[in-house]
């Protein structure tokens, strides 16, 4: 791949692409992290329990107990 | 609040589950055949449809799109309904999706065996099938979004985000990589050439692994692991960060190392930190899965379902650590083109995808059939056979890869290659290939046990095709953001916005990444002596593609002394400008062929050698594991499409003279006569109209252009 990066390098102003993507990534990622850390506990709990919150009898649980 | 009664569609889940099992078995059997052929080449049976070059793409496509593909749909159709508290949006779409996908798989298997292939790895299918895939994929998406929209829950659980990202990204990848111009119904040439084609292909390849083999299965993990363990995921917050980091980093930063050399220092330094960071989201996901089981390890010891899931998640962690390591230049210089790559992908396929699928099947089937699993003991045996199988498969291959790569690079004190004969480095690692076969058989026996176990379970169970359930109708909330509601929560309530945003995220990333590859075309220094292929060579090249020679041979000499010494002058980007598609290959089971035709290089062989070699490789290279191609000697070359081929090439910008298509076959015949005469001088009686003549013409052309002044 070094072979290729050599040609990529020769494109005028190509450097801007990784820089832009890097900056967008860092910004969005920081925003999401901040948002996530500030989530309310009760909401997190509610979402977290979604897979378990169904009114099915769980045959596998019965299996496990047998 | 009004309680509504409705039914989950279990039948579609059952269909996909059976398809997963069936194609899994087929895909693995074909893989086993390929592994056997690498030890006993006679198992190619001297028959075109069963040679390694055609079997190998059938194996990879079957495992990825048929086994894992159906596994994805099985898990999505089950979990999406429950997480949305709604039946699938449309039964009709469900079944169009199911039968459409199976039809595609069957078409794929048949056409690949017949040699209809684009040669682009994991995107080998020809254009009519590409179109069909697009249609069926849209049906899937339509059904999925319909369900999400009519859901009865307020939020969209994280597993569904992974499904959405999968849908959007696979659509984009598939379309961009499939741009090709048809020559006939089953033949096309890639829109891109050489370096550009390689960049687009591996942009696709990299992200296909990410968005077909990884993100959907992570979604499944986030649903089925909590279900099987009957406890919520360890950290929901971590799962949010895992999701965003993963989709951003994969599509965005994946092949960035290509560009780093052009970056200013400050950002390179950041970049290195950043690359190491890539491991974080993957491991975050793995830990999230494993920690879900904290305090429940006694259950894991008891329950085969959990055992399978634990090993699957661990294998995910292993391969996502190994992957970034393999992209380090110095490591890659050693591992590329070797069996290291094969071992690496099998940790992913057998461990992560395979074991997650088995775990889900063992959980799902008893549940849908309202009965206990026939035999837990047998499932445990499957687990141990599978685990052992993975180890016995992978470890010898790692060992063989290191052995071989070191042999390729070893010089004598006098400065000569210690092992100038490539074949010697192959025969050295044949014992490892034996071990790999044994590992594969162990794994396969496990799968057969599973099939037996499931068949027994199904037989006595009572299948609930439409599972009755009830849930409160969704409160109609204002589409506006409510007071005190975070924007992400608001977004989660709105699937369309969510899809659009993730689409924008992926598209920006994709565009920023792909644009330089479009610019690159005009930045490849042209080499004046590089000329388009002659009509005969072009036909020979198409035979090379049809027979899948690129599954064993690379055409890319890297600028290392060990390679230039062995194969000749290293490859230049300008040499590939007329290569629609590129044929660099990714694995060297045989030697590189980039300079095969150069008379002054060590690998040069006369026409008669090639003829004998293709007829029976072992007659000129004792112990070779290359399959024989006797039909090339017999078959007449089809020249009815020469004109069309030249015209498509012209359309793609290959500078043949105007109207050349009309006289191309005359040139073709002249060149063929010459080669036939050459062969005759070498004592071989043949006529000039055979396929072998075209293939020889192509092989003798390889790498020669830059020597013509």
């Amino acid at each position: 791949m070094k072979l290729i990066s050599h040609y990529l390098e020769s494109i005028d102003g190509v450097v801007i692409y990784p820089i832009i993507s890097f900056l967008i990534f860092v910004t969005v990622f920081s925003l999401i992290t901040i948002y996530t850390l500030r989530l309310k506990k009760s909401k997190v709990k509610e979402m977290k329990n979604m897979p378990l919150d169904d009114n099915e009898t769980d045959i596998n649980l019965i299996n496990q107990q047998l | 609040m009004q309680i509504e009664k409705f039914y989950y569609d279990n039948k579609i889940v059952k269909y996909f589950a059976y398809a997963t099992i069936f194609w899994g078995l087929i895909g693995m059997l074909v893989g086993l055949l390929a592994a056997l052929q690498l030890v006993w080449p006679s198992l190619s049976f001297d028959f075109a449809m069963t040679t390694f070059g055609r079997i190998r793409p059938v194996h990879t496509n079957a495992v990825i799109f048929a086994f894992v593909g159906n596994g994805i749909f099985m898990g999505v159709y089950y979990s999406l309904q429950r997480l949305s508290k709604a039946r699938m949006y449309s039964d009709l779409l469900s079944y169009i999706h199911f039968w459409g996908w199976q039809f595609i798989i069957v078409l794929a298997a048949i056409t690949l065996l017949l040699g209809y292939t684009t040669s682009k790895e994991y995107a080998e299918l020809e254009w009519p099938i590409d179109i069909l895939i697009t249609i069926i994929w849209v049906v899937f998406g339509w059904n999925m979004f319909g369900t999400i929209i009519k859901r009865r829950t307020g939020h969209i659980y994280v597993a569904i985000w992974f499904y959405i990202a999968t849908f959007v990204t696979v659509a984009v990848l598939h379309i961009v990589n499939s741009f090709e111009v048809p020559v006939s119904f089953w033949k096309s040439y890639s829109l891109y050439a050489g370096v550009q084609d390689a960049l687009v292909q591996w942009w696709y390849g990299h992200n296909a692994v990410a968005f077909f083999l990884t993100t959907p299965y992570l979604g499944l993990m986030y649903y089925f692991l909590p279900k099987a363990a009957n406890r919520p995921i360890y950290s929901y917050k971590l799962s949010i960060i895992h999701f965003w980091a993963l989709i951003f980093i994969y599509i965005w930063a994946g092949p960035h190392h290509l560009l780093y050399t052009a970056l200013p220092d400050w950002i390179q330094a950041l970049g290195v930190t950043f690359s190491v960071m890539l491991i974080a989201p993957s491991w975050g996901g793995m830990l999230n899965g494993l920690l879900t089981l904290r305090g429940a390890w006694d259950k894991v010891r008891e329950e085969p379902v959990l055992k399978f899931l634990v090993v699957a998640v661990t294998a995910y962690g292993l391969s996502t650590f190994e992957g970034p390591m393999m992209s380090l230049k110095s490591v890659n210089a050693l591992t590329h083109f070797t069996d290291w790559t094969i071992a690496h992908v099998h940790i992913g396929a057998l461990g992560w995808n395979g074991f997650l699928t088995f775990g889900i099947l063992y959980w799902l089937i008893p549940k849908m059939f309202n009965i206990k699993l026939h035999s837990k003991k047998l499932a445990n045996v499957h687990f141990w056979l599978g685990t052992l199988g993975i180890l016995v498969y992978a470890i010898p291959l790692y060992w063989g890869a290191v052995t071989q790569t070191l042999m390729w690079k070893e010089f004598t004190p006098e400065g000569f290659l210690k092992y100038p004969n490539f074949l010697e480095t192959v025969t050295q690692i044949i014992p490892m290939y034996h071990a790999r076969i044994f590992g594969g058989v162990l794994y396969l026996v496990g799968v057969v046990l599973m099939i037996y176990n499931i068949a027994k379970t199904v037989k006595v169970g009572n299948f609930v095709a439409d599972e009755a359930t009830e849930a409160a109708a969704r409160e109609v909330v204002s589409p506006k953001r409510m007071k005190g509601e975070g924007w992400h929560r608001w977004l989660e309530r709105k699937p369309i916005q969510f899809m659009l945003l993730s689409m924008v995220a992926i598209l920006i990333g994709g565009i920023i990444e792909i644009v330089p590859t479009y610019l690159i075309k005009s930045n490849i220094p042209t080499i004046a002596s590089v000329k388009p292929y002659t009509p005969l060579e072009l036909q020979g090249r198409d035979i090379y593609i049809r027979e899948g020679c690129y599954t064993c041979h690379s055409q890319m000499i890297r600028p290392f002394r060990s390679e230039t010494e062995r194969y000749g002058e290293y490859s230049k980007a300008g040499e590939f400008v007329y290569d629609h598609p590129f044929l660099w290959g990714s694995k060297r089971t045989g030697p590189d062929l980039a300079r095969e035709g150069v008379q002054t290089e060590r690998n040069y062989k006369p026409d008669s050698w090639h003829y004998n070699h293709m007829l029976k490789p072992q007659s000129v290279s004792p112990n070779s594991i290359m399959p024989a191609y006797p039909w090339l000697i017999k078959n007449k070359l089809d020249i009815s499409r020469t004109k069309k081929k030249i015209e498509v090439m012209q359309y793609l910008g290959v500078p043949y003279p105007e109207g050349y298509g009309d006289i191309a076959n005359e040139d073709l015949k002249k060149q063929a006569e010459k080669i036939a005469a050459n062969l005759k001088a070498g004592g071989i009686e043949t006529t000039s109209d055979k396929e072998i003549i075209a293939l020889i013409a192509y092989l003798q052309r390889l790498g020669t252009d830059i020597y013509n002044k």
Side-chain angles (χ1 to χ4, degrees):
Chain A
M1 282 323 222
K2 197 167 148 210
L3 205 79
I4 299 175
S5 58
H6 171 71
Y7 296 103
L8 279 169
E9 252 176 88
S10 64
I11 302 173
D12 272 342
V14 76
V15 133
I16 198 70
Y17 292 95
I19 294 182
I20 293 175
S21 60
F22 189 83
L23 293 180
I24 300 183
F25 171 77
V26 170
T27 324
V28 175
F29 190 75
S30 316
L31 284 176
I32 286 171
T33 310
I34 294 169
Y35 154 80
T36 308
L37 294 178
R38 291 181 49 202
L39 267 179
K40 270 213 213 78
K41 248 204 171 105
S42 58
K43 282 294 152 203
V44 170
K45 202 165 165 199
E46 187 190 320
M47 290 190 272
K48 193 169 161 164
N49 277 306
M50 284 181 78
L52 303 176
D53 164 34
D54 52 24
N55 26 18
E56 299 172 17
T57 39
D58 195 327
I59 185 84
N60 286 280
L61 273 186
I62 299 167
N63 278 349
Q64 279 169 22
Q65 279 147 16
L66 289 174
Chain B
M1 226 185 303
Q2 191 197 341
I3 301 289
E4 294 174 338
K5 200 167 161 60
F6 60 97
Y7 298 88
Y8 292 134
D9 184 357
N10 279 350
K11 201 164 123 199
I12 188 69
V13 181
K14 182 177 83 172
Y15 274 34
F16 276 118
Y18 288 175
T20 307
I21 297 171
F22 176 73
W23 292 120
L25 184 68
I26 301 284
M28 289 174 212
L29 278 172
V30 176
L32 181 61
L33 175 61
L36 288 165
Q37 290 174 337
L38 288 180
V39 174
W40 296 285
S42 58
L43 291 179
S44 279
F45 305 115
D46 289 356
F47 180 55
M49 302 240 277
T50 46
T51 43
F52 182 85
R54 297 195 189 181
I55 287 293
R56 194 259 185 187
V58 172
H59 166 59
T60 52
N61 279 281
V63 168
I64 299 174
F65 300 110
F67 172 56
V68 176
N70 278 306
I72 293 171
F73 302 137
M74 161 185 78
V76 169
Y77 275 82
Y78 186 86
S79 60
L80 181 62
Q81 297 188 75
R82 269 93 188 154
L83 288 169
S84 307
K85 290 201 190 302
R87 190 183 175 89
M88 286 308 295
Y89 170 69
S90 151
D91 284 8
L92 180 67
L93 290 180
S94 298
Y95 290 95
I96 294 180
H97 176 199
F98 177 79
W99 288 112
W101 196 255
Q102 312 315 316
F103 180 59
I104 289 169
I105 293 169
V106 172
L107 268 186
I110 295 172
T111 55
L112 289 176
L113 288 175
L114 288 173
Y116 302 140
T117 171
T118 65
S119 83
K120 292 183 155 197
E121 284 182 64
Y122 326 125
E124 286 95 344
L125 303 175
E126 268 298 353
W127 65 274
I129 307 184
D130 282 342
I131 294 173
L132 209 56
I133 293 173
T134 313
I135 295 171
I136 296 299
W137 194 253
V138 169
V139 168
F140 164 53
W142 185 359
N143 208 6
M144 177 165 78
F145 283 109
T147 313
I148 299 175
I149 287 170
K150 69 167 205 182
R151 75 192 186 283
R152 295 186 175 82
T153 53
H155 295 287
I156 299 176
Y157 182 66
V158 65
I160 299 179
W161 311 356
F162 279 99
Y163 304 157
I164 294 176
T166 301
F167 170 75
V168 174
T169 318
V170 169
V172 174
L173 293 171
H174 172 67
I175 290 171
V176 173
N177 192 41
S178 298
F179 284 133
E180 52 218 357
V181 181
V183 173
S184 64
F185 199 72
W186 290 120
K187 174 80 194 162
S188 65
Y189 290 131
S190 170
L191 181 65
Y192 319 103
V195 171
Q196 193 184 20
D197 197 36
L199 278 175
V200 176
Q201 158 60 24
W202 287 111
W203 168 79
Y204 164 88
H206 175 91
N207 289 311
V209 169
F211 286 90
F212 206 88
L213 299 176
T214 310
T215 52
Y217 265 56
L218 284 169
L220 299 189
M221 176 190 89
Y222 276 118
Y223 179 79
F224 287 98
L225 188 63
K227 277 308 252 188
N230 198 34
R231 41 174 56 205
I233 194 76
Y234 170 66
S235 162
Y236 197 77
K237 289 187 178 182
L238 186 54
S239 73
I240 299 178
I241 296 180
H242 179 200
F243 174 77
W244 286 107
L246 201 78
I247 65 162
F248 265 84
I249 290 179
Y250 259 127
I251 197 85
W252 220 288
H256 261 182
H257 54 267
L258 286 178
L259 300 171
Y260 281 156
T261 42
L263 288 179
D265 281 348
W266 66 271
I267 220 169
Q268 281 204 36
L270 271 177
V272 173
T273 329
F274 190 57
S275 307
V276 177
M277 255 171 55
L278 299 192
I279 301 177
S282 308
W283 278 51
M286 171 184 73
L287 291 176
N288 212 357
L290 293 180
L291 285 174
T292 300
L293 299 168
R294 79 200 177 292
W297 287 97
D298 49 321
K299 253 194 198 168
V300 177
R301 224 168 299 135
E302 303 268 296
E303 186 47 57
V305 171
L306 291 177
K307 283 189 206 172
F308 274 108
L309 297 184
V310 164
V311 170
V313 174
T314 310
Y316 171 63
L318 282 181
S319 28
T320 51
F321 178 76
E322 194 185 25
M325 292 300 122
M326 285 166 74
S327 59
L328 298 176
K329 262 185 207 154
S330 48
V331 179
N332 192 267
L334 287 170
T335 61
H336 197 51
F337 291 135
T338 72
D339 284 303
W340 193 283
T341 313
I342 318 298
H344 170 64
V345 299
H346 281 85
I347 296 285
L350 301 174
W352 165 238
N353 295 114
F355 268 36
L356 203 79
T357 311
F358 304 150
I360 293 174
L361 282 168
Y362 280 127
W363 184 85
L364 206 53
I365 298 284
K367 180 138 181 131
M368 290 194 305
F369 281 83
N370 239 322
I371 186 119
K372 274 172 55 178
L373 182 66
H374 168 68
S375 163
K376 244 188 197 183
K377 218 178 192 165
L378 214 53
N380 271 320
V381 176
H382 175 195
F383 171 78
W384 286 111
L385 280 176
T387 308
L388 205 66
I390 296 173
L391 295 176
V392 177
Y393 184 102
I395 294 171
L397 277 192
Y398 284 126
W399 185 264
V402 172
T403 309
Q404 194 179 30
T405 199
L406 293 178
M407 285 176 87
W408 287 347
K409 288 180 184 299
E410 193 168 342
F411 283 92
T412 62
E414 296 78 37
F416 297 111
L417 283 172
K418 176 118 183 254
Y419 305 98
N421 182 359
F422 184 92
L423 190 53
E424 210 179 331
T425 73
V426 178
T427 41
Q428 182 71 31
I429 62 169
I430 292 288
M432 302 301 143
Y433 287 178
H434 282 272
R436 176 254 294 268
I437 292 170
F438 183 60
V441 170
L442 286 179
Y443 193 89
L444 198 57
V445 170
V447 171
V448 172
L449 292 184
M450 176 185 79
I451 294 174
Y452 172 78
N453 207 349
I454 285 179
K456 281 289 210 187
T457 311
V458 164
K459 209 160 161 207
V460 287
N462 280 313
F463 181 64
V464 189
D466 295 295
E467 186 178 323
T469 186
E470 51 189 33
R474 178 146 56 111
E475 311 162 50
V476 183
V477 276
S478 144
K480 301 234 174 59
R481 251 170 83 177
M482 288 184 296
K483 231 170 111 192
E485 189 180 45
W487 58 267
H488 194 276
R489 279 233 303 130
W490 168 74
L491 201 65
E492 274 164 42
R493 288 202 289 113
K494 319 250 3 167
I496 299 298
Q497 270 99 321
F498 191 85
M499 179 187 77
L500 288 179
L501 198 84
S502 50
M503 188 132 96
V504 168
I506 287 158
L507 282 181
I508 297 177
I511 289 166
I512 289 181
E513 205 182 90
I514 204 94
V515 164
T517 71
Y518 276 84
L519 298 176
I520 203 168
K521 199 167 164 192
S522 46
N523 280 270
I524 303 279
T526 45
I527 303 173
S529 59
V530 173
K531 296 277 176 337
Y533 295 104
T534 67
L536 187 65
E537 291 157 5
L538 190 63
Q539 293 281 14
R541 193 171 198 270
D542 285 341
I543 293 173
Y544 187 94
I545 291 173
R546 184 186 78 196
E547 300 304 340
C549 309
Y550 58 86
T551 57
C552 281
H553 290 286
S554 60
Q555 290 188 21
M556 166 53 58
I557 303 170
R558 293 175 295 176
F560 306 144
R561 181 166 155 250
S562 58
E563 300 215 344
T564 52
E565 198 61 28
R566 183 181 296 277
Y567 303 118
E569 182 66 24
Y570 69 86
S571 300
K572 317 274 185 290
E575 292 183 82
F576 304 106
V577 290
Y578 304 130
D579 283 11
H580 297 269
F582 80 111
L583 289 174
W584 295 354
S586 60
K587 172 71 176 62
R588 280 183 188 148
T589 302
D592 189 278
L593 297 178
R595 301 258 175 251
E596 190 63 19
V598 180
Q599 304 215 4
T600 50
E601 294 292 356
R602 62 180 320 139
N603 285 331
Y604 178 77
K605 313 280 189 316
D607 291 355
S608 55
W609 188 92
H610 285 301
Y611 184 96
N612 290 324
H613 185 246
M614 296 308 294
L615 181 59
K616 188 160 180 47
Q618 293 73 19
S619 66
V620 285
S621 299
N623 298 324
S624 175
I625 57 168
M626 178 161 146
Y629 292 89
W631 60 92
L632 297 182
I633 310 276
K634 276 186 240 122
N635 284 2
K636 261 176 116 166
L637 181 68
D638 174 9
I639 56 170
S640 64
R641 293 235 165 77
T642 315
K643 177 171 183 230
K644 182 78 199 198
K645 286 182 176 179
I646 297 283
E647 283 167 1
V648 170
M649 284 294 177
Q650 283 172 319
Y651 174 77
L652 292 170
V654 178
Y656 290 106
E658 186 124 8
Y660 184 64
D662 292 322
I663 54 164
N665 270 335
E666 291 166 30
D667 282 0
L668 182 148
K669 284 177 188 155
K670 269 186 237 153
Q671 194 184 1
E673 287 299 338
K674 248 207 223 134
I675 294 174
N678 253 343
L679 287 173
K680 196 163 188 183
I684 293 165
E685 277 306 330
T686 180
T687 47
S688 63
D689 56 355
K690 297 292 188 302
E691 289 190 331
I692 184 74
I693 305 282
L695 185 62
I696 292 176
Y698 173 62
L699 291 173
Q700 298 295 28
R701 170 70 182 271
L702 281 173
T704 55
D705 280 10
I706 58 167
Y707 294 83
N708 302 333
K709 287 284 138 53

